[in-house]
Amino acid sequence: MTVNVGTIDRLLRAALGVALLLLAFVSSLPLFDGGFVKYAAALIGVVMIVTAAIRMCPIYSIFGIKTCRM
């Protein structure tokens, strides 16, 4: 696994992941009352947090994108 996620990208991914998890499980917005939107937001939030933690994005690897300095 090659590191391809930089620091700023990592922070943004982590913040977006936490925000999506909070919206999915803590928010009382009507959009997140339904099952599909709620669990889709939770799944995307978990993926964002995991990619921020391991500093590797599979989609970046496919397209050859690197946001980190080497």
Side-chain angles (χ1 to χ4, degrees):
M1 284 189 339
T2 305
V3 173
N4 62 4
V5 176
T7 304
I8 295 173
D9 191 3
R10 189 175 178 194
L11 292 172
L12 290 174
R13 285 173 185 265
L16 181 62
V18 169
L20 284 171
L21 286 174
L22 287 174
L23 281 172
F25 295 115
V26 179
S27 172
S28 61
L29 294 174
L31 177 65
F32 295 99
D33 285 341
F36 178 75
V37 175
K38 180 178 187 173
Y39 293 114
L43 178 67
I44 293 169
V46 168
V47 169
M48 296 300 265
I49 290 172
V50 169
T51 57
I54 65 172
R55 299 186 67 188
M56 190 271 187
C57 177
I59 295 174
Y60 280 9
S61 295
I62 292 171
F63 291 112
I65 299 170
K66 286 187 176 184
T67 59
C68 64
R69 296 180 187 179
M70 288 305 232

